[in-house]
Amino acid sequence: MALKATPGTSPEGICPTNIHKVVLLGSTAVGKSSLAYRYVKNDFKESLPTVGCSFFTQTLSLETGTVKFEIWDTAGQEKYHSVCHLYYRGAHAALLVYDITHKETLNRAKLWLRDLEKEFLPDEIVIALVGNKTDLAAEREVSTEEGEEFARTKGLLFMETSAKSNHLVNEIFTAIAQKLLQREQEKASAPSLSRRSTVNLGEDRGRTGCC
Amino acid sequence: EYEEKTGRAHRPLSPKQNVRKNLDFEPLSTTALILEDRPANLPAKPAEEAQKHRQQYEEMVVQAKKRELKEAQKRKKQLEERCKLEDSIGNAVLTWNNEILPNWETMCCSRKVRELWWQGIPPSVRGKVWSLAIGNELNITHELYDICLARAKEKWRSLSTGGAEVECEDAGFSAADREASLELIKLDISRTFPNLCIFQQGGPYHDTLHSILGAYTCYRPDVGYVQGMSFIAAVLILNLDTADAFIAFSNLLNKPCQMAFFRVDHGLMLTYFAAFEVFFEENLPKLFAHFKKNNLTPDIYLIDWIFTLYSKSLPLDLACRVWDVFCRDGEEFLFRTALGILKLFEDILTKMDFIHIAQFLTKLPEDLPSEEFFMSIATIQMQSRNKKWAQV
């Protein structure tokens, strides 16, 4: 339904439906589904392995506006890689999730970033690097500094979270929402750019058959 | 309520109780609703009032009897239905065991058997029927399973002692891949049907599931372990002995549709989705248009359904019935089931937008009514402009 609204008709001059597609990417069992579940239901349970993609919605009200998140929680196994690009197409934001107790999951997140950089221009997507499982600090293999440093060089948002103990989960999504709104307002204040961006938005949202 | 209260208090006094016990449907609470005369120390009722009360009393008794009779009849009917169901399952077991299974080759395609098959295979013969229907094109023997399992065990051992890298590189697969695959199996086993509590660490089927998946990665290193497989193996384990489950598992995954998906052959998957859409449009044109309008592509919901053969998305008993007919009709039935689901929920789905449809279909309601569900599947025609599934 929300898709029927034509872009650019709202009084605020920003995306009127304010639906933002957020995609969760990362290795298997780093906690993508758990982060989404914690954020949307504020609960933690053992998730089944995701096959394909599962979906969540969440609406967030900030001082600067309202953001409706459409969360796409993707399958983590590398073998699913070839179908995963179906899922991040047209995303407004991406969470690259790794597990702080498994070093190679950060490398995998870096590979995801490379994929995203191929698909999107830097101002088209908000990307956050998320080191999950801070509740397992004793088994940590990736230092906070390492994640932070990488995020800084690539201009990504960064937080270390725990879906299990509910640490900074809301905060990372809120940070993404703020960044999204901030970008939209920047675009709205530059009229020519704004028109371009709403057109792009329309195309971006096209989830046409990938064939 | 009044009747019940008085009933309870007076029941032991009722003189008619013994007689009533012999009735077919014994009205319970009315038994002891007795119209008492007014105590002698009080002035008698006027005749007219007494008459009225008697009448009211009789009406109440009649009503109560009626209600109880109805309830008793309902209970009896339920009991009869259950007995009938149990009888029919019992009969079906006999038919499968004595008539069909001994003459599998000649009988498996007969109309009578196909109809019985559609009703659902009784759990006690399910494994045998699945095994026969899936077949063993690959000619896997129990010995081959033992060999594959022994190899898998060797790999696990060498992994845990750290000598894996050299070996695996020799085989042409990167050690990291292998390790990831084996580690992933371990991780996923405990995430397979967690509420059944039988595949988890320490559970009775934990090792069996581990063995079958491990043996498969040695049998087909080119396919390896793909998430979703653990559910398929688990359903087979619930119905077959270990080695037979492995044989069924390998042959099942070797079918063209399953191979296309488990090798994540994107091009072929798209071909399947495109064929599915032809039948979608044919069977449910309105919903199809709604999905198109919302850019809801089949990959959103089909990937999970096809990869796990519905075992993750449907209640287990329903999933098994889908597997029954899948064994009978082949891959076509997987897509027919998908259309059956869409049809069952057509009214709800046409009122939803993209994200809610996606959410709904990737997490179906847990209380799917099984009869309605199969009726809905039955109405789906797998023929499009005179072309059948295989031709499309």
Side-chain angles (χ1 to χ4, degrees), chain B residues 367-378:
Chain B
D367 52 350
L368 265 169
S370 68
E371 286 319 308
E372 271 176 67
F373 175 62
F374 276 90
M375 246 137 73
S376 172
I377 299 177

Side-chain angles (χ1 to χ4, degrees), chain A residues 62-180:
Chain A
L62 298 171
E63 272 176 29
T64 43
T66 306
V67 171
K68 276 186 188 164
F69 279 136
E70 210 180 85
I71 301 169
W72 293 47
D73 170 27
T74 65
Q77 195 185 4
E78 217 159 310
K79 289 194 169 126
Y80 283 109
H81 195 140
S82 70
V83 282
C84 266
H85 75 269
L86 288 177
Y87 300 134
Y88 60 67
R89 193 191 295 161
H92 301 100
L95 275 82
L96 302 178
V97 187
Y98 67 94
D99 172 357
I100 62 158
T101 70
H102 281 93
K103 178 106 185 172
E104 77 276 3
T105 61
L106 175 62
N107 297 331
R108 185 88 194 95
K110 290 178 180 174
L111 291 177
W112 276 116
L113 180 64
R114 236 194 286 160
D115 280 0
L116 292 178
E117 283 170 345
K118 274 185 230 156
E119 177 95 9
F120 297 91
L121 291 170
D123 68 333
E124 277 179 337
I125 187 164
V126 174
I127 303 174
L129 183 69
V130 180
N132 191 38
K133 305 197 186 178
T134 54
D135 51 291
L136 301 176
E139 299 160 44
R140 182 190 277 277
E141 281 184 11
V142 184
S143 70
T144 309
E145 294 71 31
E146 189 179 354
E148 212 166 31
E149 176 61 18
F150 178 72
R152 199 181 52 76
T153 56
K154 295 287 183 181
L156 315 176
L157 296 169
F158 175 76
M159 266 179 217
E160 283 190 342
T161 60
S162 166
K164 193 168 189 175
S165 55
N166 196 13
H167 177 64
L168 293 182
V169 178
N170 274 318
E171 285 79 354
I172 188 65
F173 281 94
T174 307
I176 288 171
Q178 275 164 342
K179 188 110 182 220
L180 283 167

Side-chain angles (χ1 to χ4, degrees), chain B residues 68-123:
Chain B
E68 279 163 14
L69 210 67
K70 226 170 159 181
E71 268 161 28
Q73 267 166 345
K74 205 170 121 195
R75 268 199 304 277
K76 198 179 164 196
K77 215 175 141 197
Q78 275 173 348
L79 193 74
E80 274 169 6
E81 265 166 25
R82 234 188 106 162
C83 288
K84 223 170 104 186
L85 187 74
E86 272 165 23
D87 276 357
S88 82
I89 293 176
N91 287 335
V93 173
L94 288 179
T95 317
W96 280 103
N97 270 330
N98 299 341
E99 294 173 36
I100 307 170
L101 291 175
N103 310 299
W104 180 253
E105 291 302 327
T106 48
M107 283 194 77
C108 70
C109 300
S110 75
R111 199 172 159 170
K112 186 187 143 207
V113 172
R114 287 176 63 85
E115 266 163 26
L116 192 63
W117 203 328
W118 174 270
Q119 309 296 322
I121 304 170

Side-chain angles (χ1 to χ4, degrees), chain B residues 94-379:
Chain B
L94 288 179
T95 317
W96 280 103
N97 270 330
N98 299 341
E99 294 173 36
I100 307 170
L101 291 175
N103 310 299
W104 180 253
E105 291 302 327
T106 48
M107 283 194 77
C108 70
C109 300
S110 75
R111 199 172 159 170
K112 186 187 143 207
V113 172
R114 287 176 63 85
E115 266 163 26
L116 192 63
W117 203 328
W118 174 270
Q119 309 296 322
I121 304 170
S124 60
V125 288
R126 186 166 256 154
K128 279 182 223 154
V129 177
W130 284 0
S131 270
L132 284 166
I134 293 169
N136 188 3
E137 244 188 341
L138 299 167
N139 291 318
I140 299 174
T141 57
H142 285 207
E143 288 73 34
L144 181 60
Y145 168 67
D146 290 336
I147 293 167
C148 291
L149 179 59
R151 276 196 204 152
K153 283 186 170 160
E154 220 170 274
K155 295 241 166 62
W156 287 324
R157 255 197 307 276
S158 64
L159 268 180
S160 55
T161 56
E165 279 163 51
V166 191
E167 257 179 64
C168 290
E169 263 162 9
D170 282 351
F173 295 95
S174 83
D177 265 11
R178 250 304 147 71
E179 193 176 341
S181 202
L182 288 174
E183 211 164 89
L184 192 54
I185 291 176
K186 230 189 278 165
L187 201 78
D188 276 359
I189 287 175
S190 61
R191 302 200 286 173
T192 305
F193 297 119
N195 37 4
L196 293 184
C197 297
I198 49 177
F199 297 107
Q200 283 57 50
Q201 189 80 48
Y205 290 119
H206 173 271
D207 293 347
T208 317
L209 185 54
H210 198 199
S211 300
I212 287 184
L213 294 173
Y216 186 76
T217 58
C218 287
Y219 174 65
R220 285 300 298 259
D222 58 329
V223 180
Y225 172 72
V226 182
Q227 285 189 319
M229 281 184 182
S230 65
F231 285 87
I232 296 186
V235 173
L236 289 170
I237 289 169
L238 291 175
N239 289 285
L240 286 161
D241 292 336
T242 312
D244 291 326
F246 177 75
I247 293 171
F249 182 71
S250 308
N251 280 284
L252 190 62
L253 295 195
N254 198 48
K255 296 192 182 293
C257 175
Q258 274 58 49
M259 253 311 140
F261 277 76
F262 279 108
R263 299 187 80 157
V264 202
D265 182 335
H266 197 201
L268 259 179
M269 281 163 75
L270 291 178
T271 312
Y272 276 104
F273 295 152
F276 169 77
E277 286 200 292
V278 171
F279 291 94
F280 187 0
E281 187 169 17
E282 192 91 1
N283 280 282
L284 305 161
K286 259 196 186 149
L287 190 64
F288 180 77
H290 181 67
F291 275 33
K292 275 276 171 216
K293 199 177 74 202
N294 283 285
N295 285 317
L296 202 121
T297 48
D299 55 280
I300 298 280
Y301 47 94
L302 278 186
I303 286 185
D304 179 51
W305 292 353
I306 304 293
F307 264 102
T308 63
L309 302 175
Y310 296 94
S311 54
K312 193 163 151 269
S313 25
L314 291 179
L316 196 54
D317 54 331
L318 274 193
C320 284
R321 273 192 69 184
V322 169
W323 280 46
D324 290 344
V325 190
F326 163 59
C327 288
R328 190 191 79 172
D329 294 357
E331 63 184 41
E332 171 186 318
F333 190 71
L334 297 177
F335 296 93
R336 195 172 170 201
T337 302
L339 292 174
I341 296 174
L342 296 179
K343 180 162 186 177
L344 187 60
F345 296 112
E346 187 174 16
D347 293 341
I348 313 175
L349 291 168
T350 36
K351 291 190 191 86
M352 291 183 182
D353 63 1
F354 170 84
I355 192 75
H356 292 100
I357 298 173
Q359 252 179 312
F360 185 89
L361 292 179
T362 48
K363 203 178 178 312
L364 293 170
E366 274 157 31
D367 52 350
L368 265 169
S370 68
E371 286 319 308
E372 271 176 67
F373 175 62
F374 276 90
M375 246 137 73
S376 172
I377 299 177
T379 60

